[in-house]
Structure formats: C-alpha cells, structure tokens
Amino acid sequence: MAGGMDGQEAMGIAPSADAIEAHARSVIARLPAAFRAHLGEVVLLVEEEADAETLAAVGLEHPLELTGIYHGRPVGEKSAFDTGALPDRIHLYRQAILAEWCETDVRLDDLVAHVTIHEIGHHFGLSDDDMHALEDAVAD
C-alpha cells in the first residue's frame, strides 16, 4: 500500500494493533497458495510488546528489541504423534515495530510485511535467503 497502511502515519498517528494485524493478514493473503495452505492452524497475534519470559527465552532484555516471534514447531518437524500442544502462533509486537519504523527509513507497511514473512518463514523452517525470496513474491 503506497504511502502507508491506512494513512494514519501520514497524519502523525501511530497505527493501532488492529491496523498492523490487518496489514499482516493482507501479506498472508498474498502468499503463494502452497504456503497459505499450511497456515490454517497458525494463530496471528499483535500485542503491544513482548513479555519478560519471551524476551528471556530469546536472550533479549528490552521489549523494543523484539518485533516478532514464532512459537511452534516448523512444518517439517511436526509429527502425527504431536497431541495436546498449543497451536503454532506468530506474535507481532506493535511497540517494537513502531520503534524500528521511527529509527529507519523503511515504510511501515514494508516493515510489517518483513516481520510477518520472517515469522512465517520460521513456521516453514526456511533459510534467510528463502524468506527474502518469499518477501519479494508478495511485494506490492
């Protein structure tokens, strides 16, 4: 979306969690069908910031250091014997995304797309190069 996710940032208003989620979902909708077919059970959550437990688990101290995280097992590591586990989840952290947006010259919609695809990449066990190729495939 040229010019921003919904024009909020052009008016100096930080986009809401709902606006970030809507953009992340539009990114997911543009993924190749082979990827979308395996995302049906993945839960997308947009939260204000990562909690202390999540930060500690990834070796970070400040919530603005973590823009997103994937919780779950990559598709290739799943087994028919997996039962009782929580659904796979992609968490996007609004405050960290906004902080990175303010510190860089990256458009907010591009940043949300990048973080979303990066976390989806973890779901599929993709390499960084594969994640970049997937990001290019869904670019506006």
Side-chain angles (χ1 to χ4, degrees):
M1 295 178 173
M5 295 189 329
D6 65 7
Q8 287 178 319
E9 64 270 20
M11 297 182 301
I13 300 169
S16 67
D18 289 342
I20 290 173
E21 180 179 345
H23 185 66
R25 290 194 183 282
S26 77
V27 168
I28 292 168
R30 293 192 313 270
L31 288 170
F35 286 93
R36 285 193 323 269
H38 295 285
L39 286 173
E41 300 296 319
V42 177
V43 176
L44 175 66
L45 302 164
V46 178
E47 300 170 320
E48 284 301 302
E49 60 187 33
D51 60 28
E53 182 180 343
T54 300
L55 292 170
V58 295
L60 297 173
E61 293 183 14
H62 198 281
L64 295 184
E65 295 178 289
L66 187 62
T67 55
I69 193 166
Y70 170 73
H71 289 285
R73 291 179 59 197
V75 170
E77 296 178 17
K78 293 190 184 292
S79 164
F81 299 106
D82 293 340
T83 61
L86 290 172
D88 293 347
R89 299 170 319 281
I90 293 173
H91 295 257
L92 302 181
Y93 298 113
R94 179 178 173 270
Q95 292 298 325
I97 289 170
L98 294 176
E100 185 171 329
W101 172 52
C102 290
E103 293 170 3
T104 66
D105 61 354
V106 175
R107 286 182 4 186
L108 184 58
D109 53 342
D110 289 340
L111 180 58
V112 171
H114 173 77
V115 175
T116 302
I117 289 171
H118 185 85
E119 301 315 326
I120 288 169
H122 288 302
H123 173 68
F124 288 104
L126 299 178
S127 69
D128 283 342
D129 286 343
D130 291 336
M131 288 182 209
H132 291 298
L134 186 56
E135 192 170 349
D136 290 344
V138 301
D140 291 350

